[in-house]
Amino acid sequence: MSFIKRNILGLVIRSKNELVSSKAFKRNIGLFPISRTYSTEGSSTEASTVSDAETVTTPVNSRIVSDMKSLKKNNLISADIVDSMIKAKFEHLTPVQQKSIIPILESEKGLVVRAKTGTGKTLAFVIPTLDAAIKRQGPPKTTSLIVAPTRDLAQQIVMEYKKVIQFLPRSLAKKCDIGIIMGGNSTKKRPDPRNPPAIIVATPGRLADQIRSPSVSHMFSELEYRVYDEADRILDEGFRDEIDSINDRLIQARRHNKNEKPFKSVCYSATIANELEDFAVSEFGAEYEFVDCVDKNEPEAHENIHQELVYTNDAQQSFNAAASYIVNEMERKNFKAIVFLPTVTGCDWFFKLLRECSHSELYDSRLTKKFGSRTLRLNGKMTQVARDRSVREFRSTSHGVLVATDVAARGMDFSDVTDVIQIAPSTDMADYVHKIGRTARAGRKGKATLFLSKLEAPYSKKLISSKKINFANKLNAEEVPEFSKDILSTVKLPMEDVEEFANAYLSFRAQCSAIYKIDKYASIKETLALYRTLVDDPEAKLSASENFLKNIFQLSRDEAEPFFHLPSGYRGPQRKSFNNQNKSSARRGRFDSNRGGNYQRLSGGYGSRDSYKKRNNDDEYRTRNYDDFNQRDSFKRRSNNDDFRGSNKYNSDRKNYNKGTRDNFGSRRRNDHSDEDW
Ligand SMILES: Nc1ncnc2c1ncn2[C@@H]1O[C@H](COP(=O)(O)OP(=O)(O)OP(=O)(O)O)[C@@H](O)[C@H]1O
C-alpha cells in the first residue's frame, strides 16, 4: 500500500512480534498478551523486534511501554491514572497501547495509528488525554477533542473515559470533566463555554455547526490533543467539509489566544484509506509518524474471526438463508449476533421479520420464543432515546440479535458477540472489516458469515484480492439444511413495510451495480422476484420515480415495462439503443453535462447540492440511506427531523455513485483511487 511506503521517514512499527502465539497468550494473565520483546528497559537495537527493519528509521524500543506499572515507574503518566486503570480492571496494556502511548506523549508530529478491531485503541488515547487534563494548570480549558463518526460511538467513548475517571481521587476527577457535542443531544447537555470541560467528544456535523460560535471555538484555544477515532471514515469525502471547517476554527482559536504551541493530532483506525494519507501529509507534513500494528502482509481483518461466505441463487434466497440460519442459531444459549443490512428500511423490515419468526408456530422452542423480545434494531433514523435503549439492552444481554445498518459498523463495543451476519455487499469495502470486527474483541473468538447472491460475487472477489480476506469456508446455500427454511413465504409483514423496503433495496442495488460492476438488469430482476414473494403476487411490479428509471438505471420504456409501474408519459432517456456499446462516449457526454443532476438523483430528485447540504448540516453520521432515491415526499417529511438528517451519508453516496457510474461509462477508471477504495 502506498501509505506505508510513503511514510518511511516516520516511525513504522510492525506487529509480527506483537502477535503472540497462543502458548504465550495462555501464559499471560488478563485479556491480552503482553509482548515481552518490547520493553522500555530493553536494548535499543530495534532490528530484532521489528519485522521490516528496512522501514524503521526511528529507534523504537525506548518508545514502547511494556505494562501499566512501567507507565507509572517512568513517570510518563500520572500515578493516579495508572492506579485507576488497574482498579477498573485494565491491568495490562494491549499491544496498540504499548506502542502508541509514548509516541502520543512525545511526538511533535502528527500520529497515525492502525490496529485491528477490538484491540483497545480507545484506551490508547484515553490514557494520555486524561493525563493532559490532570496535569493542566490554570483555569478550566478543553485540552482534548475526540471526534468520532457516530453518536453511539461518541457516547461509548465517554463511557470508556468514565470507567477510569470513577476511580480517580475526587479532586482529580473534577479536572477530567467530559462534554459531548452531537446531534440528538438536548441543549442542556451541551458543554458550557463559560466552564469548558477538559475533554470534548464530538461528532463532526454537530461540532462543525457549533464551533462557528466564537464562544464554543474559544473553548479550544489551549487544545493539546485532537484525536480522530475511525479516522478513515471521518476523513472520507462525506465528512470532509465539516472536518476542514473544524480545523480552521481550531487553528483560529489558538491564534486568537496567541498560543504558539501546536496541538497534537492523532488518527486511529483499523483500516487506512488514501484520504487519511492525504490528510496526514497535508496536516502533519510528510514526516508524520505511523504506528502500524498490522503487518503489511497480513489482512486488516482480525485473525480471531472465522469468516464464512455463503453463496445463494438470488437476493430472495440470501434473506431467506440468513433468517433461517439465525432462527436455527437462536437455539444456542449464548448466541449473540449483529446482523448488518443495507438501508434503514431494510433494517426495519428484517427486524420485524425476525420478531414475527419468533411468534410464528413454526418455531416453538422456549428459547426461540424468548428471543423475540431480544431482537433489537439500531439505525440512524431512530430517535436518540430509542438508539440508546437498543445499545443498552444489547450490551446487557448474553443472548440476542441486533439488526443494524452501517451505523453500528464502526467502533461499537458489545461484549461477547458470537456472530456477525451480513446480507449483501457493503458499498465501502473497509466497512466489511469493521463490521466483522464487532465480534472477536478483546482476545475472544467469533464467527462472521456473509450472504451474497451469485450476482454479487464480484464483491467477494474484491474482498479477497484487495482486502486479503480469507474465507475459511465457501458454502452453497442450497447444500446446507440450516439455511433452508422458507421464511419469506411463511412470515408475512404489512404491505407498507415491504413496499418501503423494496424501494430502498432497489436503490441500494443500483449503487452496488455501479460500484462492483454487477449486471443491473439481473439485479432488478432479483429485486422484483424478492418483492413478488414478499407481497405474494407473481404479477406485482416495482414502483420507481421517473428520475430513478431514467437517470440511475437508464431504462427505456420497453426495458422498464416488465419490472415497473411506469410514471405516465414515461419515455426513458433520449438515446437510440441502450445496448449499443459504441455509444458509450455519447452517454459519458450526457453524464458529464448532467453532473449537477447527480446530487438531485441521490437526494431523491430533491433540490440542489447546496440546499441539500444545508438541510444536511446536522449530520452526525450520514449512514448510507438509499431509502430516498425516489421518494420526494417522504424525504421532505423526514428531512424536517433531526434523526433522519443524521442518518444520511449523502456525500459518500454521491462519491461512490459518481465513481461507480463513471466507471460504468468507461471514463476515469480509478486513476486516482487505489483498490482500497472499492
Ligand atoms: N488494557 C486493557 N485491558 C483489558 N481490556 C481492555 C484493555 N484495553 C481495552 N480493553 C477492552 O477491549 C475492548 C475493545 O476495545 P476498543 O473498543 O478500544 O477496541 P478498538 O481497537 O477501538 O476497536 P474498533 O476498531 O472496533 O473500534 C473494550 O471492551 C475495552 O474495554
Side-chain angles (χ1 to χ4, degrees), residues 31-32 68 85 89-94 96-97 115-123 156 160 163 229-230 269-270 410-413 434 437-438 441-442:
L31 283 176
F32 293 94
M68 204 66 83
M85 300 275 299
K89 304 265 180 281
F90 299 125
E91 284 151 18
H92 305 287
L93 294 173
T94 68
V96 63
Q97 292 157 8
K116 293 190 178 186
T117 51
T119 55
K121 292 187 285 297
T122 316
L123 272 184
Q156 181 180 291
E160 200 76 352
K163 278 185 197 166
D229 196 15
E230 307 300 340
S269 187
R410 285 176 176 252
M412 293 309 291
D413 182 56
H434 291 272
R438 296 318 95 205
R441 299 177 72 74

Side-chain angles (χ1 to χ4, degrees), residues 22 105 114 318 445 497 560 572-573 586 643 645:
S22 59
L105 292 169
R114 178 170 71 158
S318 285
K445 288 193 184 302
D497 289 324
D643 278 300
R645 281 177 290 172

Side-chain angles (χ1 to χ4, degrees), residues 429-441:
M429 285 205 302
D431 279 354
Y432 173 83
V433 174
H434 291 272
K435 285 175 183 170
I436 62 170
R438 296 318 95 205
T439 185
R441 299 177 72 74

